[in-house]
Amino acid sequence: MREPVRIGVLALQGDFAAHARALGRLGVEAPEVRNPGDLAGLDGLVIPGGESTTLLTLMGETFPPVLRAFHEAGRPIYGTCAGLILLAREVVSPPQPSLGLIDVTVERNAYGRQRESFETEGEARFAGAPAPLRMVFIRAPRIVRTGAGVTTLATHRAEPVLVQAGTVLAGTFHPELTDDLGVHRHFRDLCRAAASRLPQPTLA
């Protein structure tokens, strides 16, 4: 096992700095990813919240194929809020392009506008064990369908809010805005497990 893991944070727009701080509290090096070449040498990537349409525009035509290659190489990716929208197989209300790396359908802004943001406590199941989890919802998307192979790790009002399929983790809420490191710890462990069975990253 290589130590420590390096998990990049897509730093084009949104709350990337909060994710970097959360990973830093776990002792994880979290460099900013501003260009496709910045993915070289990383064990995982966080796609933060923000404006999904703005993120798509800033990613342009160069980021998507490199992100898909990163995923196909077995490197974990975690998307939260707008990051979830970018990772979803299908986006509705309104439809928009996405990377399609996890088989879920996502409805944009389904938890209401900015003024309807809220924080709550739910329960997650990491490695099968239940654990309390703080959740902050800000103009959050709703996961309205999960496909085969998608596991629900946390729910809110009986709806999935944190899901995983293989090395892709995606959530509707913002754990980086709380003191709860449960989601980031789970993603770090996912990256560590992937790094232990994969060759050194060679993307450039």
mmCIF file of all heavy atoms in Angstrom, residues 3-40:
data_model
loop_
_atom_site.group_PDB
_atom_site.id
_atom_site.type_symbol
_atom_site.label_atom_id
_atom_site.label_comp_id
_atom_site.label_asym_id
_atom_site.label_seq_id
_atom_site.Cartn_x
_atom_site.Cartn_y
_atom_site.Cartn_z
ATOM 1 N N GLU A 3 1.631 5.087 0.767
ATOM 2 C CA GLU A 3 1.212 6.069 1.769
ATOM 3 C C GLU A 3 1.952 7.358 1.529
ATOM 4 O O GLU A 3 3.164 7.332 1.279
ATOM 5 C CB GLU A 3 1.503 5.557 3.183
ATOM 6 C CG GLU A 3 0.642 4.404 3.616
ATOM 7 C CD GLU A 3 -0.783 4.802 3.985
ATOM 8 O OE1 GLU A 3 -1.095 6.020 3.923
ATOM 9 O OE2 GLU A 3 -1.562 3.912 4.297
ATOM 10 N N PRO A 4 1.338 8.509 1.664
ATOM 11 C CA PRO A 4 -0.105 8.673 1.798
ATOM 12 C C PRO A 4 -0.748 8.777 0.432
ATOM 13 O O PRO A 4 -0.051 8.941 -0.577
ATOM 14 C CB PRO A 4 -0.194 9.992 2.554
ATOM 15 C CG PRO A 4 0.971 10.783 2.023
ATOM 16 C CD PRO A 4 2.072 9.764 1.794
ATOM 17 N N VAL A 5 -2.070 8.692 0.397
ATOM 18 C CA VAL A 5 -2.776 8.884 -0.864
ATOM 19 C C VAL A 5 -2.853 10.383 -1.166
ATOM 20 O O VAL A 5 -2.805 11.226 -0.272
ATOM 21 C CB VAL A 5 -4.200 8.283 -0.825
ATOM 22 C CG1 VAL A 5 -4.134 6.784 -0.739
ATOM 23 C CG2 VAL A 5 -5.014 8.856 0.316
ATOM 24 N N ARG A 6 -2.942 10.701 -2.444
ATOM 25 C CA ARG A 6 -3.100 12.089 -2.897
ATOM 26 C C ARG A 6 -4.442 12.174 -3.625
ATOM 27 O O ARG A 6 -4.665 11.469 -4.615
ATOM 28 C CB ARG A 6 -1.968 12.507 -3.833
ATOM 29 C CG ARG A 6 -0.596 12.488 -3.191
ATOM 30 C CD ARG A 6 0.483 12.865 -4.192
ATOM 31 N NE ARG A 6 0.448 14.288 -4.518
ATOM 32 C CZ ARG A 6 0.255 14.783 -5.733
ATOM 33 N NH1 ARG A 6 0.068 13.973 -6.754
ATOM 34 N NH2 ARG A 6 0.251 16.083 -5.940
ATOM 35 N N ILE A 7 -5.332 13.017 -3.121
ATOM 36 C CA ILE A 7 -6.668 13.158 -3.691
ATOM 37 C C ILE A 7 -6.830 14.592 -4.182
ATOM 38 O O ILE A 7 -6.830 15.536 -3.376
ATOM 39 C CB ILE A 7 -7.753 12.820 -2.645
ATOM 40 C CG1 ILE A 7 -7.585 11.370 -2.166
ATOM 41 C CG2 ILE A 7 -9.145 13.025 -3.244
ATOM 42 C CD1 ILE A 7 -8.526 10.988 -1.029
ATOM 43 N N GLY A 8 -6.962 14.761 -5.472
ATOM 44 C CA GLY A 8 -7.124 16.091 -6.038
ATOM 45 C C GLY A 8 -8.541 16.609 -5.856
ATOM 46 O O GLY A 8 -9.494 15.838 -5.672
ATOM 47 N N VAL A 9 -8.691 17.926 -5.900
ATOM 48 C CA VAL A 9 -10.012 18.563 -5.824
ATOM 49 C C VAL A 9 -10.156 19.464 -7.049
ATOM 50 O O VAL A 9 -9.329 20.374 -7.261
ATOM 51 C CB VAL A 9 -10.169 19.389 -4.540
ATOM 52 C CG1 VAL A 9 -11.565 19.992 -4.474
ATOM 53 C CG2 VAL A 9 -9.906 18.522 -3.306
ATOM 54 N N LEU A 10 -11.172 19.210 -7.863
ATOM 55 C CA LEU A 10 -11.410 20.034 -9.045
ATOM 56 C C LEU A 10 -11.663 21.475 -8.601
ATOM 57 O O LEU A 10 -12.606 21.750 -7.845
ATOM 58 C CB LEU A 10 -12.602 19.494 -9.832
ATOM 59 C CG LEU A 10 -12.817 20.121 -11.217
ATOM 60 C CD1 LEU A 10 -11.687 19.738 -12.171
ATOM 61 C CD2 LEU A 10 -14.165 19.662 -11.801
ATOM 62 N N ALA A 11 -10.821 22.381 -9.051
ATOM 63 C CA ALA A 11 -10.825 23.755 -8.522
ATOM 64 C C ALA A 11 -11.176 24.771 -9.599
ATOM 65 O O ALA A 11 -10.559 25.831 -9.702
ATOM 66 C CB ALA A 11 -9.466 24.070 -7.897
ATOM 67 N N LEU A 12 -12.181 24.448 -10.387
ATOM 68 C CA LEU A 12 -12.620 25.375 -11.428
ATOM 69 C C LEU A 12 -13.653 26.363 -10.904
ATOM 70 O O LEU A 12 -13.719 27.517 -11.356
ATOM 71 C CB LEU A 12 -13.228 24.594 -12.600
ATOM 72 C CG LEU A 12 -12.290 23.605 -13.301
ATOM 73 C CD1 LEU A 12 -13.038 22.891 -14.418
ATOM 74 C CD2 LEU A 12 -11.061 24.314 -13.841
ATOM 75 N N GLN A 13 -14.469 25.909 -9.935
ATOM 76 C CA GLN A 13 -15.568 26.730 -9.421
ATOM 77 C C GLN A 13 -16.185 25.990 -8.250
ATOM 78 O O GLN A 13 -16.049 24.773 -8.128
ATOM 79 C CB GLN A 13 -16.602 26.962 -10.542
ATOM 80 C CG GLN A 13 -17.651 28.007 -10.255
ATOM 81 C CD GLN A 13 -18.992 27.391 -9.874
ATOM 82 O OE1 GLN A 13 -19.165 26.187 -9.961
ATOM 83 N NE2 GLN A 13 -19.918 28.225 -9.447
ATOM 84 N N GLY A 14 -16.823 26.708 -7.320
ATOM 85 C CA GLY A 14 -17.509 26.061 -6.221
ATOM 86 C C GLY A 14 -16.675 25.976 -4.956
ATOM 87 O O GLY A 14 -15.661 26.665 -4.797
ATOM 88 N N ASP A 15 -17.095 25.083 -4.035
ATOM 89 C CA ASP A 15 -16.510 25.053 -2.692
ATOM 90 C C ASP A 15 -15.347 24.066 -2.589
ATOM 91 O O ASP A 15 -15.268 23.279 -1.659
ATOM 92 C CB ASP A 15 -17.591 24.739 -1.664
ATOM 93 C CG ASP A 15 -18.262 23.396 -1.912
ATOM 94 O OD1 ASP A 15 -18.060 22.827 -3.008
ATOM 95 O OD2 ASP A 15 -18.983 22.920 -1.021
ATOM 96 N N PHE A 16 -14.427 24.133 -3.540
ATOM 97 C CA PHE A 16 -13.295 23.188 -3.555
ATOM 98 C C PHE A 16 -12.395 23.357 -2.336
ATOM 99 O O PHE A 16 -11.823 22.379 -1.839
ATOM 100 C CB PHE A 16 -12.504 23.311 -4.851
ATOM 101 C CG PHE A 16 -12.036 24.697 -5.188
ATOM 102 C CD1 PHE A 16 -10.841 25.175 -4.689
ATOM 103 C CD2 PHE A 16 -12.793 25.513 -6.017
ATOM 104 C CE1 PHE A 16 -10.395 26.450 -5.014
ATOM 105 C CE2 PHE A 16 -12.371 26.791 -6.341
ATOM 106 C CZ PHE A 16 -11.164 27.269 -5.838
ATOM 107 N N ALA A 17 -12.239 24.582 -1.837
ATOM 108 C CA ALA A 17 -11.334 24.808 -0.705
ATOM 109 C C ALA A 17 -11.822 24.077 0.543
ATOM 110 O O ALA A 17 -11.010 23.564 1.332
ATOM 111 C CB ALA A 17 -11.204 26.301 -0.431
ATOM 112 N N ALA A 18 -13.140 24.010 0.747
ATOM 113 C CA ALA A 18 -13.686 23.314 1.922
ATOM 114 C C ALA A 18 -13.386 21.818 1.848
ATOM 115 O O ALA A 18 -13.095 21.178 2.865
ATOM 116 C CB ALA A 18 -15.190 23.567 2.018
ATOM 117 N N HIS A 19 -13.473 21.236 0.658
ATOM 118 C CA HIS A 19 -13.121 19.817 0.509
ATOM 119 C C HIS A 19 -11.630 19.601 0.810
ATOM 120 O O HIS A 19 -11.259 18.619 1.458
ATOM 121 C CB HIS A 19 -13.429 19.349 -0.908
ATOM 122 C CG HIS A 19 -14.873 19.007 -1.130
ATOM 123 N ND1 HIS A 19 -15.471 17.892 -0.587
ATOM 124 C CD2 HIS A 19 -15.844 19.654 -1.820
ATOM 125 C CE1 HIS A 19 -16.739 17.850 -0.953
ATOM 126 N NE2 HIS A 19 -16.994 18.904 -1.703
ATOM 127 N N ALA A 20 -10.784 20.494 0.318
ATOM 128 C CA ALA A 20 -9.349 20.358 0.569
ATOM 129 C C ALA A 20 -9.056 20.425 2.069
ATOM 130 O O ALA A 20 -8.218 19.672 2.582
ATOM 131 C CB ALA A 20 -8.585 21.445 -0.183
ATOM 132 N N ARG A 21 -9.769 21.316 2.779
ATOM 133 C CA ARG A 21 -9.562 21.407 4.235
ATOM 134 C C ARG A 21 -10.009 20.111 4.924
ATOM 135 O O ARG A 21 -9.339 19.626 5.849
ATOM 136 C CB ARG A 21 -10.333 22.599 4.794
ATOM 137 C CG ARG A 21 -9.681 23.949 4.503
ATOM 138 C CD ARG A 21 -10.286 25.050 5.361
ATOM 139 N NE ARG A 21 -11.696 25.272 5.068
ATOM 140 C CZ ARG A 21 -12.141 26.111 4.124
ATOM 141 N NH1 ARG A 21 -11.277 26.793 3.384
ATOM 142 N NH2 ARG A 21 -13.432 26.267 3.917
ATOM 143 N N ALA A 22 -11.145 19.554 4.509
ATOM 144 C CA ALA A 22 -11.636 18.317 5.123
ATOM 145 C C ALA A 22 -10.636 17.185 4.901
ATOM 146 O O ALA A 22 -10.323 16.420 5.820
ATOM 147 C CB ALA A 22 -13.008 17.955 4.550
ATOM 148 N N LEU A 23 -10.126 17.073 3.692
ATOM 149 C CA LEU A 23 -9.131 16.026 3.409
ATOM 150 C C LEU A 23 -7.849 16.284 4.185
ATOM 151 O O LEU A 23 -7.212 15.343 4.678
ATOM 152 C CB LEU A 23 -8.854 15.970 1.905
ATOM 153 C CG LEU A 23 -10.023 15.451 1.042
ATOM 154 C CD1 LEU A 23 -9.753 15.710 -0.432
ATOM 155 C CD2 LEU A 23 -10.257 13.956 1.290
ATOM 156 N N GLY A 24 -7.477 17.547 4.306
ATOM 157 C CA GLY A 24 -6.281 17.887 5.068
ATOM 158 C C GLY A 24 -6.399 17.477 6.525
ATOM 159 O O GLY A 24 -5.414 17.057 7.145
ATOM 160 N N ARG A 25 -7.607 17.586 7.089
ATOM 161 C CA ARG A 25 -7.821 17.165 8.483
ATOM 162 C C ARG A 25 -7.626 15.665 8.640
ATOM 163 O O ARG A 25 -7.381 15.182 9.757
ATOM 164 C CB ARG A 25 -9.224 17.569 8.930
ATOM 165 C CG ARG A 25 -9.413 19.083 9.102
ATOM 166 C CD ARG A 25 -10.851 19.424 9.398
ATOM 167 N NE ARG A 25 -11.314 18.784 10.626
ATOM 168 C CZ ARG A 25 -12.599 18.605 10.930
ATOM 169 N NH1 ARG A 25 -13.533 19.008 10.079
ATOM 170 N NH2 ARG A 25 -12.947 18.029 12.063
ATOM 171 N N LEU A 26 -7.734 14.929 7.545
ATOM 172 C CA LEU A 26 -7.483 13.484 7.588
ATOM 173 C C LEU A 26 -6.039 13.152 7.228
ATOM 174 O O LEU A 26 -5.687 11.979 7.099
ATOM 175 C CB LEU A 26 -8.431 12.775 6.608
ATOM 176 C CG LEU A 26 -9.917 12.812 6.973
ATOM 177 C CD1 LEU A 26 -10.753 12.280 5.812
ATOM 178 C CD2 LEU A 26 -10.182 11.999 8.242
ATOM 179 N N GLY A 27 -5.226 14.181 7.038
ATOM 180 C CA GLY A 27 -3.827 13.950 6.696
ATOM 181 C C GLY A 27 -3.599 13.624 5.242
ATOM 182 O O GLY A 27 -2.548 13.083 4.873
ATOM 183 N N VAL A 28 -4.589 13.968 4.391
ATOM 184 C CA VAL A 28 -4.494 13.659 2.965
ATOM 185 C C VAL A 28 -4.023 14.891 2.197
ATOM 186 O O VAL A 28 -4.576 15.987 2.377
ATOM 187 C CB VAL A 28 -5.870 13.215 2.416
ATOM 188 C CG1 VAL A 28 -5.814 13.023 0.897
ATOM 189 C CG2 VAL A 28 -6.322 11.932 3.101
ATOM 190 N N GLU A 29 -3.030 14.729 1.363
ATOM 191 C CA GLU A 29 -2.603 15.802 0.461
ATOM 192 C C GLU A 29 -3.689 15.995 -0.595
ATOM 193 O O GLU A 29 -4.119 15.021 -1.225
ATOM 194 C CB GLU A 29 -1.279 15.450 -0.206
ATOM 195 C CG GLU A 29 -0.731 16.552 -1.081
ATOM 196 C CD GLU A 29 0.565 16.161 -1.767
ATOM 197 O OE1 GLU A 29 1.045 15.042 -1.512
ATOM 198 O OE2 GLU A 29 1.060 16.959 -2.576
ATOM 199 N N ALA A 30 -4.147 17.228 -0.783
ATOM 200 C CA ALA A 30 -5.289 17.488 -1.663
ATOM 201 C C ALA A 30 -4.976 18.641 -2.614
ATOM 202 O O ALA A 30 -5.473 19.761 -2.438
ATOM 203 C CB ALA A 30 -6.532 17.780 -0.831
ATOM 204 N N PRO A 31 -4.168 18.403 -3.631
ATOM 205 C CA PRO A 31 -3.832 19.473 -4.574
ATOM 206 C C PRO A 31 -5.028 19.896 -5.412
ATOM 207 O O PRO A 31 -5.939 19.101 -5.671
ATOM 208 C CB PRO A 31 -2.748 18.830 -5.444
ATOM 209 C CG PRO A 31 -3.004 17.370 -5.350
ATOM 210 C CD PRO A 31 -3.538 17.126 -3.971
ATOM 211 N N GLU A 32 -5.013 21.165 -5.833
ATOM 212 C CA GLU A 32 -6.069 21.669 -6.709
ATOM 213 C C GLU A 32 -5.846 21.159 -8.135
ATOM 214 O O GLU A 32 -4.715 21.096 -8.604
ATOM 215 C CB GLU A 32 -6.079 23.198 -6.700
ATOM 216 C CG GLU A 32 -6.474 23.776 -5.357
ATOM 217 C CD GLU A 32 -6.522 25.293 -5.376
ATOM 218 O OE1 GLU A 32 -6.152 25.900 -6.416
ATOM 219 O OE2 GLU A 32 -6.937 25.876 -4.366
ATOM 220 N N VAL A 33 -6.940 20.815 -8.798
ATOM 221 C CA VAL A 33 -6.904 20.359 -10.190
ATOM 222 C C VAL A 33 -7.571 21.433 -11.044
ATOM 223 O O VAL A 33 -8.774 21.653 -10.953
ATOM 224 C CB VAL A 33 -7.625 19.007 -10.344
ATOM 225 C CG1 VAL A 33 -7.740 18.615 -11.822
ATOM 226 C CG2 VAL A 33 -6.917 17.921 -9.554
ATOM 227 N N ARG A 34 -6.768 22.120 -11.827
ATOM 228 C CA ARG A 34 -7.288 23.197 -12.677
ATOM 229 C C ARG A 34 -7.149 22.873 -14.166
ATOM 230 O O ARG A 34 -7.773 23.515 -15.002
ATOM 231 C CB ARG A 34 -6.565 24.503 -12.365
ATOM 232 C CG ARG A 34 -6.827 25.000 -10.943
ATOM 233 C CD ARG A 34 -6.135 26.316 -10.651
ATOM 234 N NE ARG A 34 -6.401 26.778 -9.284
ATOM 235 C CZ ARG A 34 -7.475 27.469 -8.922
ATOM 236 N NH1 ARG A 34 -8.363 27.813 -9.841
ATOM 237 N NH2 ARG A 34 -7.650 27.826 -7.669
ATOM 238 N N ASN A 35 -6.308 21.892 -14.483
ATOM 239 C CA ASN A 35 -6.093 21.470 -15.869
ATOM 240 C C ASN A 35 -6.085 19.946 -15.918
ATOM 241 O O ASN A 35 -5.748 19.297 -14.915
ATOM 242 C CB ASN A 35 -4.758 22.006 -16.386
ATOM 243 C CG ASN A 35 -4.705 23.518 -16.345
ATOM 244 O OD1 ASN A 35 -5.361 24.183 -17.132
ATOM 245 N ND2 ASN A 35 -3.938 24.043 -15.397
ATOM 246 N N PRO A 36 -6.442 19.352 -17.070
ATOM 247 C CA PRO A 36 -6.447 17.893 -17.158
ATOM 248 C C PRO A 36 -5.117 17.268 -16.745
ATOM 249 O O PRO A 36 -5.095 16.207 -16.117
ATOM 250 C CB PRO A 36 -6.759 17.644 -18.640
ATOM 251 C CG PRO A 36 -7.581 18.824 -19.049
ATOM 252 C CD PRO A 36 -6.983 19.980 -18.305
ATOM 253 N N GLY A 37 -4.001 17.905 -17.046
ATOM 254 C CA GLY A 37 -2.702 17.358 -16.693
ATOM 255 C C GLY A 37 -2.468 17.277 -15.198
ATOM 256 O O GLY A 37 -1.598 16.512 -14.744
ATOM 257 N N ASP A 38 -3.246 18.050 -14.409
ATOM 258 C CA ASP A 38 -3.089 18.020 -12.952
ATOM 259 C C ASP A 38 -3.559 16.696 -12.352
ATOM 260 O O ASP A 38 -3.310 16.429 -11.166
ATOM 261 C CB ASP A 38 -3.873 19.162 -12.306
ATOM 262 C CG ASP A 38 -3.335 20.529 -12.679
ATOM 263 O OD1 ASP A 38 -2.153 20.624 -13.070
ATOM 264 O OD2 ASP A 38 -4.103 21.518 -12.593
ATOM 265 N N LEU A 39 -4.257 15.864 -13.138
ATOM 266 C CA LEU A 39 -4.717 14.570 -12.626
ATOM 267 C C LEU A 39 -3.577 13.556 -12.517
ATOM 268 O O LEU A 39 -3.719 12.540 -11.828
ATOM 269 C CB LEU A 39 -5.815 14.000 -13.537
ATOM 270 C CG LEU A 39 -7.164 14.725 -13.484
ATOM 271 C CD1 LEU A 39 -8.040 14.295 -14.653
ATOM 272 C CD2 LEU A 39 -7.874 14.435 -12.172
ATOM 273 N N ALA A 40 -2.471 13.826 -13.165
ATOM 274 C CA ALA A 40 -1.340 12.895 -13.133
ATOM 275 C C ALA A 40 -0.851 12.696 -11.707
ATOM 276 O O ALA A 40 -0.651 13.655 -10.963
ATOM 277 C CB ALA A 40 -0.208 13.429 -14.006
#
